[in-house]
Amino acid sequence: MRHSPGPPKNPIPREFHSEYEDRPFRACSQCGEQLAAFQHYQINKAWRNGECVFEYVFCEVCRDRMLEEFSEESKASLMRHQEQHLRDLHGTSECAFCGRTQAGAPMRDYVITALCSGDDLLDSLMICESCQLQTHELLSEKTRDVRRRFFEDLPGVPPDWEGLPIQED
């Protein structure tokens, strides 16, 4: 007799579904493996001027593989920055670093990230554009090259996405 896992305890909200496919993500954007094969996966969506400019999902293996390519200097800087500035909050209503809220000052440029397992949302956060730029400044040239190559190879990312105009309301 098969045991049904039952409904998700904390279902993945629509904001973390694929904008392009209009459904939940099913496969890793990097390796193409089905997400159900992994214990965890991470969804990332970038919004610019009110529209999703790109989205991707990493299985835990591909996420860890990319992080291994980051320089030790960048890893240490990012950890220090998170320890000093990452706030203990969950969800996408305000920036995880500065606390700027969507309701108080609508943002048109931000990134949302979710850690998921199966059909369950484990955690999520939002990072505003200015905090993303501050974090990017912490990266070594080696790590910036890893990041640049990743975005060049990722389907759907506009080639000039980092140069697109930022509009604040």
Side-chain angles (χ1 to χ4, degrees), residues 9-133:
K9 296 174 200 90
N10 190 19
I12 298 168
R14 171 67 185 89
E15 73 179 320
F16 287 109
H17 290 187
S18 172
E19 299 295 320
Y20 306 119
E21 298 176 0
D22 198 28
R23 63 172 169 74
F25 287 96
R26 294 184 181 148
C28 177
S29 300
Q30 190 78 17
C31 69
E33 291 291 324
Q34 293 296 305
L35 298 173
F38 300 94
Q39 184 173 0
H40 298 109
Y41 58 93
Q42 181 177 323
I43 299 168
N44 297 286
K45 294 174 74 172
W47 294 84
R48 170 106 347 126
N49 298 326
E51 100 179 63
C52 184
V53 291
F54 66 88
E55 61 186 17
Y56 60 93
V57 59
F58 269 162
C59 67
E60 58 196 340
V61 173
C62 289
R63 181 200 60 215
D64 292 349
R65 188 177 305 131
M66 187 170 91
L67 290 175
E68 286 172 10
E69 291 184 52
F70 282 19
S71 71
E72 292 304 316
E73 172 191 353
S74 291
K75 290 182 211 177
S77 293
L78 290 170
M79 284 301 289
R80 224 177 3 264
H81 182 72
Q82 286 183 6
E83 288 169 0
Q84 293 171 356
H85 302 285
L86 187 64
R87 301 167 65 238
D88 187 21
L89 72 100
H90 310 276
T92 59
S93 62
E94 62 186 271
C95 178
F97 287 97
C98 71
R100 183 174 172 201
T101 66
Q102 292 272 20
M107 283 176 270
R108 296 180 54 81
D109 304 305
Y110 56 92
V111 172
I112 58 174
T113 300
L115 179 63
C116 304
S117 180
D119 293 330
D120 287 320
L121 174 72
L122 301 178
D123 200 1
S124 65
L125 59 81
M126 184 265 292
I127 304 172
C128 72
E129 181 77 7
S130 62
C131 288
Q132 288 177 69
L133 293 172

